[in-house]
Amino acid sequence: MRNNLLTIKEASIWISSELERNITPSNISYLVNYGRIKKYSDNGNTLVNKDELLAYYRTYYGKRQLNWTEKLGNDINWHLSFEQYKESETTKHVHRLHPYKGKFIPQLVEYFLDQHIDEFKTGVFFNKGDIILDPFCGSGTTLVQANELGMHAVGIDISAFNALISNVKIEKYDLSNLYLELKNITEALRQYKAESIILEFEQNLNEELTKFNNAYFPSPEYKRKVRKGEINEEIYGKEKEEAFNKIYKNLLNKYKIEVRQERTNTFLDVWYTKSVREEIDFVFNLIKNIRNKRTKKLATVILSRTIRSCRATTHSDLATLVSPVYSTYYCSKHGKICKPLFSILSWWERYTKDTLNRIAEFNSLRTDTFQHCFTGDSRTIDIFDAVDKLDPDFGQKLKRQKFAGIFSSPPYVGLINYHEQHEYAYELFGFERNDSLEIGPLFKGKGQKAKESYIEGIASVLINSKKYLANNFSIFLVANDKYNLYPVIANKSGLKIVQQFKRPVLNRTEKDKGAYSESIFLLKENS
């Protein structure tokens, strides 16, 4: 039997060779911890069975492509799924500085912007030194990849916060100043927490949680029993949740902890425990005093990323909030009792370190090119004028050269409220909101009027953008066009769809793993 068992590290090397894919030790540890494959032990070492591991991966990869092709159609371009990339690669360097719903992965941008030609592409669309336009800039993926590929890029977004995220990603920093300011804030926050009763309360709470979870939710045995149907997760989880809540309430009383804030007028009042809100305000006041504007903006984004992770909700509802949670609860995501957050310190430290590493990584790749995202309405903005005011020299270059084309992902019909997803940031930082100018937001629905408004909005953006495009431009738009609106949009804009790539989108949200595709439309002048 031992000949068929491998350590986690041995299993990683072996399965990577078998599948010709990079399967890391952490990937295999995940399968063990979440009960996907059985855990074996030998003198305290975790072992896995080769046959079980191989069967899992062959079933996973082989069946997924077959099943998705059956559901989405034989015209699916599976090579555009970028299945071979790990999450760390699809969220590489600065792309993961801040969460953002609805963004595409950098590999998709690279594929169409890069100069290489492969069996699936029909030609070279862009070259180094070209200027790219993204009129729906979002979180700046196109800008970052244009920089990495030696191209200039201009983005436009109606959301001031989106523009901040994009510009923070492509900014150059005084790293010494950046390290010093973030270090000072971290040390101040540690001292602030150390002087609070919250520190002792959390230590006690964590000790009680560890004892309770080890007793009633042993890993990975508990998750395996749930998967096999030996335990009714809903009934068992609720029962243990109620049992631990008694311990939790006793601790709150012992340390005289007030969990809820007194006011309930705003998002920040409702979705954060009292101690977390106090720490948020403490750090934000420190950030306000940073003199270096670039450092201040990056620290602002780190704080925003931090407080997004510290909302009073369950781990499984973090992406789509349901209702505030101020007590301990059974967490279906982790298979144990979890708690609300009472401090932002651990997340601030984690994201500060992560951000510094990502900035340093991107610095080693970046090129000396121009990128900037302007806050504005792409239907009406004078792009030449906006660039001129920021950088007159590049403004002259843009007027001479113009944009070689567009690579962008317009909003989808009735899917996301783009301002609302960062409501906490708009409240805390005081950004002006332009919800009414969003194209195709969730709050307008998916009815006929909403679709007509969407067609008009996207067409108006394309018509305005064409003023700034060079001859023989290429426009790439990434969209899930289930209502078949883009042929109408193209015609209304004086364009024609010359090619369409249908791409499977893998793991698009935390909860939705079903077969889903989007199209990449290549549009040209309809002459």
Side-chain angles (χ1 to χ4, degrees):
M1 179 69 175
R2 178 62 181 89
N3 292 336
N4 218 30
L5 297 178
L6 302 172
T7 66
I8 297 294
K9 185 175 181 180
E10 291 170 344
S12 169
I13 296 170
W14 177 76
I15 195 66
S16 295
S17 175
E18 285 288 318
L19 299 178
E20 297 183 348
R21 293 175 181 271
N22 183 21
I23 308 296
T24 66
S26 61
N27 295 146
I28 298 172
S29 294
Y30 174 90
L31 300 181
V32 172
N33 291 336
Y34 282 82
R36 302 297 194 269
I37 58 176
K38 189 175 179 180
K39 174 184 177 180
Y40 298 87
S41 297
D42 180 26
N43 293 325
N45 293 321
T46 297
L47 305 175
V48 297
N49 184 286
K50 291 170 63 176
D51 294 337
E52 291 177 11
L53 185 63
L54 184 60
Y56 173 85
Y57 276 110
R58 281 185 171 164
T59 300
Y60 179 76
Y61 285 118
K63 285 190 176 180
R64 179 163 66 169
Q65 181 171 354
L66 179 62
N67 292 340
W68 280 44
T69 300
E70 289 176 354
K71 293 175 182 178
L72 299 174
N74 291 324
D75 59 339
I76 198 79
N77 299 104
W78 193 258
H79 65 285
L80 291 178
S81 71
F82 303 104
E83 181 186 41
Q84 69 273 28
Y85 291 98
K86 298 181 296 182
E87 185 189 16
S88 60
E89 294 170 302
T90 59
T91 57
K92 61 181 181 177
H93 51 73
V94 294
H95 289 294
R96 201 171 196 169
L97 286 192
H98 198 285
Y100 184 84
K101 290 181 183 178
K103 64 181 177 182
F104 42 52
I105 62 174
Q107 285 75 21
L108 181 62
V109 184
E110 287 174 343
Y111 182 84
F112 289 101
L113 258 60
D114 204 352
Q115 301 172 44
H116 77 280
I117 302 174
D118 61 28
E119 60 180 307
F120 303 108
K121 287 175 67 175
T122 57
V124 174
F125 303 107
F126 302 105
N127 297 283
K128 285 187 177 181
D130 281 349
I131 312 175
I132 310 299
L133 174 63
D134 185 350
F136 304 101
C137 192
S139 63
T141 305
T142 295
L143 270 58
V144 173
Q145 288 315 114
N147 179 292
E148 199 174 322
L149 293 169
M151 301 177 187
H152 308 282
V154 172
I156 304 159
D157 203 282
I158 200 65
S159 162
F161 186 66
N162 289 358
L164 173 67
I165 296 174
S166 298
N167 290 326
V168 157
K169 288 179 178 179
I170 49 86
E171 190 60 87
K172 295 179 181 178
Y173 296 95
D174 178 342
L175 294 180
S176 297
N177 177 263
L178 186 60
Y179 277 93
L180 178 62
E181 294 288 4
L182 294 177
K183 179 184 177 183
N184 289 342
I185 292 174
T186 302
E187 290 177 350
L189 179 58
R190 284 178 187 152
Q191 184 62 34
Y192 182 87
K193 183 179 179 181
E195 295 171 355
S196 167
I197 195 66
I198 289 296
L199 181 62
E200 186 178 343
F201 164 74
E202 272 202 303
Q203 288 175 342
N204 202 334
L205 176 58
N206 289 335
E207 289 170 1
E208 293 295 336
L209 272 172
T210 298
K211 287 191 294 185
F212 192 89
N213 285 327
N214 286 343
Y216 297 105
F217 302 98
S219 180
E221 289 83 1
Y222 169 73
K223 291 170 186 174
R224 286 185 61 83
K225 288 180 179 179
V226 169
R227 288 174 60 83
K228 290 181 175 181
E230 296 175 12
I231 292 179
N232 184 312
E233 182 179 22
E234 184 177 355
I235 295 174
Y236 186 83
K238 190 66 178 176
E239 174 188 310
K240 299 309 176 187
E241 176 184 298
E242 292 174 356
F244 190 81
N245 265 330
K246 295 176 183 178
I247 300 173
Y248 172 69
K249 289 177 181 178
N250 287 336
L251 288 174
L252 290 178
N253 292 331
K254 176 182 177 181
Y255 290 97
K256 296 180 173 57
I257 302 296
E258 294 180 42
V259 180
R260 299 172 185 261
Q261 298 182 61
E262 294 177 3
R263 297 183 305 173
T264 57
N265 300 328
T266 68
F267 187 95
L268 290 170
D269 294 334
V270 172
W271 287 97
Y272 295 91
T273 59
K274 184 177 180 182
S275 57
V276 164
R277 175 64 185 277
E278 290 170 351
E279 290 186 1
I280 289 171
D281 291 340
F282 176 78
V283 171
F284 185 42
N285 285 328
L286 294 176
I287 290 174
K288 289 177 184 177
N289 294 324
I290 297 176
R291 292 185 178 182
N292 185 302
K293 291 182 179 179
R294 295 178 181 180
T295 297
K296 180 184 287 189
K297 289 179 180 178
L298 182 57
T300 299
V301 169
I302 296 173
L303 178 58
S304 176
R305 184 182 179 190
T306 298
I307 65 178
R308 181 187 181 275
S309 294
C310 295
R311 293 173 293 185
T313 184
T314 66
H315 292 123
S316 57
D317 291 328
L318 188 59
T320 306
L321 300 178
V322 177
S323 60
V325 175
Y326 301 110
S327 62
T328 50
Y329 60 93
Y330 173 72
C331 179
S332 58
K333 182 175 182 179
H334 295 119
K336 62 181 181 180
I337 302 298
C338 289
K339 64 179 178 67
L341 288 170
F342 295 92
S343 173
I344 70 171
L345 177 60
S346 62
W347 286 105
W348 168 264
E349 289 179 317
R350 179 185 302 187
Y351 290 148
T352 296
K353 181 179 179 181
D354 181 69
T355 297
L356 291 171
N357 289 338
R358 290 178 183 277
I359 293 293
E361 182 184 353
F362 183 56
N363 276 351
S364 68
L365 300 171
R366 66 180 306 137
T367 60
D368 187 18
T369 50
F370 176 94
Q371 290 84 31
H372 188 80
C373 178
F374 295 92
T375 302
D377 190 338
S378 294
R379 291 167 287 198
T380 57
I381 189 172
D382 185 327
I383 301 177
F384 286 159
D385 183 62
V387 175
D388 262 339
K389 290 177 179 176
L390 180 69
D391 188 329
D393 290 339
F394 187 76
Q396 291 302 310
K397 177 182 178 67
L398 177 60
K399 288 174 186 174
R400 292 192 306 269
Q401 189 171 326
K402 294 192 173 182
F403 293 104
I406 292 173
F407 195 96
S408 191
S409 179
Y412 294 1
V413 180
L415 187 62
I416 297 173
N417 291 327
Y418 286 88
H419 284 71
E420 190 175 289
Q421 69 166 308
H422 303 303
E423 188 170 358
Y424 51 90
Y426 278 92
E427 279 189 14
L428 182 63
F429 306 133
F431 292 118
E432 181 181 353
R433 292 182 62 149
N434 291 306
D435 302 57
S436 62
L437 296 177
E438 289 185 21
I439 297 174
L442 176 61
F443 66 82
K444 287 186 178 178
K446 301 179 182 179
Q448 187 58 35
K449 284 187 177 180
K451 292 173 185 174
E452 291 172 0
S453 174
Y454 179 84
I455 290 171
E456 189 66 36
I458 302 297
S460 295
V461 170
L462 294 173
I463 291 169
N464 186 50
S465 299
K466 282 169 61 180
K467 302 174 188 175
Y468 310 98
L469 299 181
N471 294 330
N472 196 31
F473 59 77
S474 297
I475 296 177
F476 287 93
L477 299 180
V478 182
N480 174 255
D481 192 25
K482 66 178 180 179
Y483 302 117
N484 200 33
L485 303 181
Y486 273 81
V488 180
I489 290 170
N491 184 61
K492 199 173 185 68
S493 309
L495 301 165
K496 61 181 177 181
I497 298 172
V498 298
Q499 199 167 357
Q500 180 176 346
F501 306 83
K502 190 176 177 183
R503 158 181 138 75
V505 182
L506 309 182
N507 301 333
R508 59 194 176 111
T509 69
E510 288 92 335
K511 293 183 179 181
D512 193 342
K513 308 296 184 184
Y516 176 83
S517 69
E518 62 190 9
S519 293
I520 300 94
F521 296 101
L522 171 57
L523 295 88
K524 293 279 191 178
E525 187 76 81
N526 189 11
S527 55

mmCIF file with all atom_site columns, all heavy atoms in Angstrom, residues 393-409:
data_model
loop_
_atom_site.group_PDB
_atom_site.id
_atom_site.type_symbol
_atom_site.label_atom_id
_atom_site.label_alt_id
_atom_site.label_comp_id
_atom_site.label_asym_id
_atom_site.label_entity_id
_atom_site.label_seq_id
_atom_site.pdbx_PDB_ins_code
_atom_site.Cartn_x
_atom_site.Cartn_y
_atom_site.Cartn_z
_atom_site.occupancy
_atom_site.B_iso_or_equiv
_atom_site.pdbx_formal_charge
_atom_site.auth_seq_id
_atom_site.auth_comp_id
_atom_site.auth_asym_id
_atom_site.auth_atom_id
_atom_site.pdbx_PDB_model_num
ATOM 1   N N   . ASP A 1 393 ? 2.635   66.792 -23.761 1.00 0.00 ? 393 ASP A N   1
ATOM 2   C CA  . ASP A 1 393 ? 3.520   66.117 -24.727 1.00 0.00 ? 393 ASP A CA  1
ATOM 3   C C   . ASP A 1 393 ? 2.864   64.850 -25.267 1.00 0.00 ? 393 ASP A C   1
ATOM 4   O O   . ASP A 1 393 ? 2.867   64.599 -26.489 1.00 0.00 ? 393 ASP A O   1
ATOM 5   C CB  . ASP A 1 393 ? 4.862   65.772 -24.082 1.00 0.00 ? 393 ASP A CB  1
ATOM 6   C CG  . ASP A 1 393 ? 5.701   67.011 -23.796 1.00 0.00 ? 393 ASP A CG  1
ATOM 7   O OD1 . ASP A 1 393 ? 5.452   68.050 -24.436 1.00 0.00 ? 393 ASP A OD1 1
ATOM 8   O OD2 . ASP A 1 393 ? 6.587   66.935 -22.922 1.00 0.00 ? 393 ASP A OD2 1
ATOM 9   N N   . PHE A 1 394 ? 2.318   64.033 -24.361 1.00 0.00 ? 394 PHE A N   1
ATOM 10  C CA  . PHE A 1 394 ? 1.649   62.826 -24.848 1.00 0.00 ? 394 PHE A CA  1
ATOM 11  C C   . PHE A 1 394 ? 0.371   63.192 -25.597 1.00 0.00 ? 394 PHE A C   1
ATOM 12  O O   . PHE A 1 394 ? -0.036  62.490 -26.528 1.00 0.00 ? 394 PHE A O   1
ATOM 13  C CB  . PHE A 1 394 ? 1.327   61.870 -23.698 1.00 0.00 ? 394 PHE A CB  1
ATOM 14  C CG  . PHE A 1 394 ? 0.788   60.553 -24.178 1.00 0.00 ? 394 PHE A CG  1
ATOM 15  C CD1 . PHE A 1 394 ? 1.629   59.595 -24.721 1.00 0.00 ? 394 PHE A CD1 1
ATOM 16  C CD2 . PHE A 1 394 ? -0.576  60.276 -24.131 1.00 0.00 ? 394 PHE A CD2 1
ATOM 17  C CE1 . PHE A 1 394 ? 1.136   58.388 -25.203 1.00 0.00 ? 394 PHE A CE1 1
ATOM 18  C CE2 . PHE A 1 394 ? -1.083  59.082 -24.604 1.00 0.00 ? 394 PHE A CE2 1
ATOM 19  C CZ  . PHE A 1 394 ? -0.220  58.130 -25.143 1.00 0.00 ? 394 PHE A CZ  1
ATOM 20  N N   . GLY A 1 395 ? -0.249  64.301 -25.200 1.00 0.00 ? 395 GLY A N   1
ATOM 21  C CA  . GLY A 1 395 ? -1.439  64.767 -25.910 1.00 0.00 ? 395 GLY A CA  1
ATOM 22  C C   . GLY A 1 395 ? -1.147  65.038 -27.375 1.00 0.00 ? 395 GLY A C   1
ATOM 23  O O   . GLY A 1 395 ? -1.947  64.683 -28.253 1.00 0.00 ? 395 GLY A O   1
ATOM 24  N N   . GLN A 1 396 ? 0.001   65.630 -27.646 1.00 0.00 ? 396 GLN A N   1
ATOM 25  C CA  . GLN A 1 396 ? 0.388   65.878 -29.038 1.00 0.00 ? 396 GLN A CA  1
ATOM 26  C C   . GLN A 1 396 ? 0.651   64.570 -29.782 1.00 0.00 ? 396 GLN A C   1
ATOM 27  O O   . GLN A 1 396 ? 0.282   64.415 -30.947 1.00 0.00 ? 396 GLN A O   1
ATOM 28  C CB  . GLN A 1 396 ? 1.637   66.772 -29.072 1.00 0.00 ? 396 GLN A CB  1
ATOM 29  C CG  . GLN A 1 396 ? 1.398   68.202 -28.612 1.00 0.00 ? 396 GLN A CG  1
ATOM 30  C CD  . GLN A 1 396 ? 0.328   68.901 -29.423 1.00 0.00 ? 396 GLN A CD  1
ATOM 31  O OE1 . GLN A 1 396 ? 0.346   68.896 -30.667 1.00 0.00 ? 396 GLN A OE1 1
ATOM 32  N NE2 . GLN A 1 396 ? -0.644  69.495 -28.727 1.00 0.00 ? 396 GLN A NE2 1
ATOM 33  N N   . LYS A 1 397 ? 1.286   63.634 -29.094 1.00 0.00 ? 397 LYS A N   1
ATOM 34  C CA  . LYS A 1 397 ? 1.554   62.323 -29.700 1.00 0.00 ? 397 LYS A CA  1
ATOM 35  C C   . LYS A 1 397 ? 0.243   61.628 -30.052 1.00 0.00 ? 397 LYS A C   1
ATOM 36  O O   . LYS A 1 397 ? 0.103   61.042 -31.135 1.00 0.00 ? 397 LYS A O   1
ATOM 37  C CB  . LYS A 1 397 ? 2.368   61.462 -28.722 1.00 0.00 ? 397 LYS A CB  1
ATOM 38  C CG  . LYS A 1 397 ? 2.651   60.040 -29.206 1.00 0.00 ? 397 LYS A CG  1
ATOM 39  C CD  . LYS A 1 397 ? 3.421   59.266 -28.146 1.00 0.00 ? 397 LYS A CD  1
ATOM 40  C CE  . LYS A 1 397 ? 3.676   57.826 -28.574 1.00 0.00 ? 397 LYS A CE  1
ATOM 41  N NZ  . LYS A 1 397 ? 4.598   57.734 -29.730 1.00 0.00 ? 397 LYS A NZ  1
ATOM 42  N N   . LEU A 1 398 ? -0.725  61.699 -29.136 1.00 0.00 ? 398 LEU A N   1
ATOM 43  C CA  . LEU A 1 398 ? -2.014  61.053 -29.372 1.00 0.00 ? 398 LEU A CA  1
ATOM 44  C C   . LEU A 1 398 ? -2.732  61.663 -30.567 1.00 0.00 ? 398 LEU A C   1
ATOM 45  O O   . LEU A 1 398 ? -3.324  60.946 -31.388 1.00 0.00 ? 398 LEU A O   1
ATOM 46  C CB  . LEU A 1 398 ? -2.890  61.155 -28.117 1.00 0.00 ? 398 LEU A CB  1
ATOM 47  C CG  . LEU A 1 398 ? -4.303  60.581 -28.224 1.00 0.00 ? 398 LEU A CG  1
ATOM 48  C CD1 . LEU A 1 398 ? -4.261  59.092 -28.561 1.00 0.00 ? 398 LEU A CD1 1
ATOM 49  C CD2 . LEU A 1 398 ? -5.081  60.799 -26.924 1.00 0.00 ? 398 LEU A CD2 1
ATOM 50  N N   . LYS A 1 399 ? -2.673  62.979 -30.698 1.00 0.00 ? 399 LYS A N   1
ATOM 51  C CA  . LYS A 1 399 ? -3.334  63.645 -31.828 1.00 0.00 ? 399 LYS A CA  1
ATOM 52  C C   . LYS A 1 399 ? -2.707  63.226 -33.156 1.00 0.00 ? 399 LYS A C   1
ATOM 53  O O   . LYS A 1 399 ? -3.405  63.075 -34.163 1.00 0.00 ? 399 LYS A O   1
ATOM 54  C CB  . LYS A 1 399 ? -3.255  65.160 -31.663 1.00 0.00 ? 399 LYS A CB  1
ATOM 55  C CG  . LYS A 1 399 ? -4.146  65.706 -30.557 1.00 0.00 ? 399 LYS A CG  1
ATOM 56  C CD  . LYS A 1 399 ? -3.911  67.197 -30.355 1.00 0.00 ? 399 LYS A CD  1
ATOM 57  C CE  . LYS A 1 399 ? -4.706  67.700 -29.156 1.00 0.00 ? 399 LYS A CE  1
ATOM 58  N NZ  . LYS A 1 399 ? -4.396  69.122 -28.852 1.00 0.00 ? 399 LYS A NZ  1
ATOM 59  N N   . ARG A 1 400 ? -1.381  63.032 -33.145 1.00 0.00 ? 400 ARG A N   1
ATOM 60  C CA  . ARG A 1 400 ? -0.703  62.619 -34.376 1.00 0.00 ? 400 ARG A CA  1
ATOM 61  C C   . ARG A 1 400 ? -0.972  61.148 -34.697 1.00 0.00 ? 400 ARG A C   1
ATOM 62  O O   . ARG A 1 400 ? -1.273  60.789 -35.830 1.00 0.00 ? 400 ARG A O   1
ATOM 63  C CB  . ARG A 1 400 ? 0.813   62.831 -34.254 1.00 0.00 ? 400 ARG A CB  1
ATOM 64  C CG  . ARG A 1 400 ? 1.265   64.264 -34.186 1.00 0.00 ? 400 ARG A CG  1
ATOM 65  C CD  . ARG A 1 400 ? 2.779   64.359 -34.368 1.00 0.00 ? 400 ARG A CD  1
ATOM 66  N NE  . ARG A 1 400 ? 3.494   63.508 -33.419 1.00 0.00 ? 400 ARG A NE  1
ATOM 67  C CZ  . ARG A 1 400 ? 3.907   63.914 -32.217 1.00 0.00 ? 400 ARG A CZ  1
ATOM 68  N NH1 . ARG A 1 400 ? 3.658   65.155 -31.824 1.00 0.00 ? 400 ARG A NH1 1
ATOM 69  N NH2 . ARG A 1 400 ? 4.556   63.086 -31.416 1.00 0.00 ? 400 ARG A NH2 1
ATOM 70  N N   . GLN A 1 401 ? -0.838  60.331 -33.687 1.00 0.00 ? 401 GLN A N   1
ATOM 71  C CA  . GLN A 1 401 ? -0.865  58.882 -33.901 1.00 0.00 ? 401 GLN A CA  1
ATOM 72  C C   . GLN A 1 401 ? -2.270  58.301 -33.806 1.00 0.00 ? 401 GLN A C   1
ATOM 73  O O   . GLN A 1 401 ? -2.598  57.342 -34.513 1.00 0.00 ? 401 GLN A O   1
ATOM 74  C CB  . GLN A 1 401 ? 0.040   58.221 -32.856 1.00 0.00 ? 401 GLN A CB  1
ATOM 75  C CG  . GLN A 1 401 ? 0.291   56.747 -33.055 1.00 0.00 ? 401 GLN A CG  1
ATOM 76  C CD  . GLN A 1 401 ? 1.367   56.242 -32.104 1.00 0.00 ? 401 GLN A CD  1
ATOM 77  O OE1 . GLN A 1 401 ? 2.319   56.960 -31.769 1.00 0.00 ? 401 GLN A OE1 1
ATOM 78  N NE2 . GLN A 1 401 ? 1.226   55.006 -31.649 1.00 0.00 ? 401 GLN A NE2 1
ATOM 79  N N   . LYS A 1 402 ? -3.073  58.835 -32.915 1.00 0.00 ? 402 LYS A N   1
ATOM 80  C CA  . LYS A 1 402 ? -4.419  58.359 -32.598 1.00 0.00 ? 402 LYS A CA  1
ATOM 81  C C   . LYS A 1 402 ? -4.394  56.929 -32.044 1.00 0.00 ? 402 LYS A C   1
ATOM 82  O O   . LYS A 1 402 ? -3.355  56.260 -32.016 1.00 0.00 ? 402 LYS A O   1
ATOM 83  C CB  . LYS A 1 402 ? -5.344  58.468 -33.813 1.00 0.00 ? 402 LYS A CB  1
ATOM 84  C CG  . LYS A 1 402 ? -5.599  59.908 -34.236 1.00 0.00 ? 402 LYS A CG  1
ATOM 85  C CD  . LYS A 1 402 ? -6.724  59.996 -35.246 1.00 0.00 ? 402 LYS A CD  1
ATOM 86  C CE  . LYS A 1 402 ? -7.088  61.444 -35.536 1.00 0.00 ? 402 LYS A CE  1
ATOM 87  N NZ  . LYS A 1 402 ? -8.213  61.558 -36.495 1.00 0.00 ? 402 LYS A NZ  1
ATOM 88  N N   . PHE A 1 403 ? -5.555  56.474 -31.610 1.00 0.00 ? 403 PHE A N   1
ATOM 89  C CA  . PHE A 1 403 ? -5.655  55.127 -31.037 1.00 0.00 ? 403 PHE A CA  1
ATOM 90  C C   . PHE A 1 403 ? -5.664  54.073 -32.133 1.00 0.00 ? 403 PHE A C   1
ATOM 91  O O   . PHE A 1 403 ? -6.416  54.189 -33.115 1.00 0.00 ? 403 PHE A O   1
ATOM 92  C CB  . PHE A 1 403 ? -6.933  54.994 -30.215 1.00 0.00 ? 403 PHE A CB  1
ATOM 93  C CG  . PHE A 1 403 ? -6.964  55.828 -28.969 1.00 0.00 ? 403 PHE A CG  1
ATOM 94  C CD1 . PHE A 1 403 ? -7.717  56.990 -28.918 1.00 0.00 ? 403 PHE A CD1 1
ATOM 95  C CD2 . PHE A 1 403 ? -6.237  55.458 -27.846 1.00 0.00 ? 403 PHE A CD2 1
ATOM 96  C CE1 . PHE A 1 403 ? -7.759  57.760 -27.766 1.00 0.00 ? 403 PHE A CE1 1
ATOM 97  C CE2 . PHE A 1 403 ? -6.258  56.233 -26.690 1.00 0.00 ? 403 PHE A CE2 1
ATOM 98  C CZ  . PHE A 1 403 ? -7.022  57.386 -26.660 1.00 0.00 ? 403 PHE A CZ  1
ATOM 99  N N   . ALA A 1 404 ? -4.848  53.027 -31.958 1.00 0.00 ? 404 ALA A N   1
ATOM 100 C CA  . ALA A 1 404 ? -4.846  51.921 -32.928 1.00 0.00 ? 404 ALA A CA  1
ATOM 101 C C   . ALA A 1 404 ? -6.118  51.101 -32.813 1.00 0.00 ? 404 ALA A C   1
ATOM 102 O O   . ALA A 1 404 ? -6.492  50.388 -33.751 1.00 0.00 ? 404 ALA A O   1
ATOM 103 C CB  . ALA A 1 404 ? -3.627  51.033 -32.705 1.00 0.00 ? 404 ALA A CB  1
ATOM 104 N N   . GLY A 1 405 ? -6.781  51.211 -31.669 1.00 0.00 ? 405 GLY A N   1
ATOM 105 C CA  . GLY A 1 405 ? -8.016  50.464 -31.495 1.00 0.00 ? 405 GLY A CA  1
ATOM 106 C C   . GLY A 1 405 ? -8.471  50.464 -30.049 1.00 0.00 ? 405 GLY A C   1
ATOM 107 O O   . GLY A 1 405 ? -7.938  51.188 -29.197 1.00 0.00 ? 405 GLY A O   1
ATOM 108 N N   . ILE A 1 406 ? -9.441  49.614 -29.784 1.00 0.00 ? 406 ILE A N   1
ATOM 109 C CA  . ILE A 1 406 ? -10.067 49.514 -28.465 1.00 0.00 ? 406 ILE A CA  1
ATOM 110 C C   . ILE A 1 406 ? -9.994  48.071 -27.986 1.00 0.00 ? 406 ILE A C   1
ATOM 111 O O   . ILE A 1 406 ? -10.214 47.139 -28.772 1.00 0.00 ? 406 ILE A O   1
ATOM 112 C CB  . ILE A 1 406 ? -11.547 49.954 -28.526 1.00 0.00 ? 406 ILE A CB  1
ATOM 113 C CG1 . ILE A 1 406 ? -11.656 51.462 -28.806 1.00 0.00 ? 406 ILE A CG1 1
ATOM 114 C CG2 . ILE A 1 406 ? -12.295 49.590 -27.251 1.00 0.00 ? 406 ILE A CG2 1
ATOM 115 C CD1 . ILE A 1 406 ? -13.085 51.937 -29.048 1.00 0.00 ? 406 ILE A CD1 1
ATOM 116 N N   . PHE A 1 407 ? -9.685  47.894 -26.725 1.00 0.00 ? 407 PHE A N   1
ATOM 117 C CA  . PHE A 1 407 ? -9.915  46.599 -26.073 1.00 0.00 ? 407 PHE A CA  1
ATOM 118 C C   . PHE A 1 407 ? -10.633 46.896 -24.776 1.00 0.00 ? 407 PHE A C   1
ATOM 119 O O   . PHE A 1 407 ? -10.085 47.560 -23.893 1.00 0.00 ? 407 PHE A O   1
ATOM 120 C CB  . PHE A 1 407 ? -8.628  45.822 -25.796 1.00 0.00 ? 407 PHE A CB  1
ATOM 121 C CG  . PHE A 1 407 ? -8.892  44.386 -25.482 1.00 0.00 ? 407 PHE A CG  1
ATOM 122 C CD1 . PHE A 1 407 ? -8.814  43.418 -26.475 1.00 0.00 ? 407 PHE A CD1 1
ATOM 123 C CD2 . PHE A 1 407 ? -9.284  43.984 -24.214 1.00 0.00 ? 407 PHE A CD2 1
ATOM 124 C CE1 . PHE A 1 407 ? -9.104  42.085 -26.198 1.00 0.00 ? 407 PHE A CE1 1
ATOM 125 C CE2 . PHE A 1 407 ? -9.579  42.664 -23.923 1.00 0.00 ? 407 PHE A CE2 1
ATOM 126 C CZ  . PHE A 1 407 ? -9.491  41.707 -24.928 1.00 0.00 ? 407 PHE A CZ  1
ATOM 127 N N   . SER A 1 408 ? -11.872 46.405 -24.655 1.00 0.00 ? 408 SER A N   1
ATOM 128 C CA  . SER A 1 408 ? -12.685 46.782 -23.506 1.00 0.00 ? 408 SER A CA  1
ATOM 129 C C   . SER A 1 408 ? -13.755 45.737 -23.231 1.00 0.00 ? 408 SER A C   1
ATOM 130 O O   . SER A 1 408 ? -14.125 44.964 -24.109 1.00 0.00 ? 408 SER A O   1
ATOM 131 C CB  . SER A 1 408 ? -13.350 48.142 -23.769 1.00 0.00 ? 408 SER A CB  1
ATOM 132 O OG  . SER A 1 408 ? -13.937 48.664 -22.603 1.00 0.00 ? 408 SER A OG  1
ATOM 133 N N   . SER A 1 409 ? -14.250 45.759 -22.008 1.00 0.00 ? 409 SER A N   1
ATOM 134 C CA  . SER A 1 409 ? -15.390 44.919 -21.632 1.00 0.00 ? 409 SER A CA  1
ATOM 135 C C   . SER A 1 409 ? -16.501 45.825 -21.138 1.00 0.00 ? 409 SER A C   1
ATOM 136 O O   . SER A 1 409 ? -16.472 46.279 -19.995 1.00 0.00 ? 409 SER A O   1
ATOM 137 C CB  . SER A 1 409 ? -14.985 43.931 -20.531 1.00 0.00 ? 409 SER A CB  1
ATOM 138 O OG  . SER A 1 409 ? -16.094 43.128 -20.160 1.00 0.00 ? 409 SER A OG  1
#
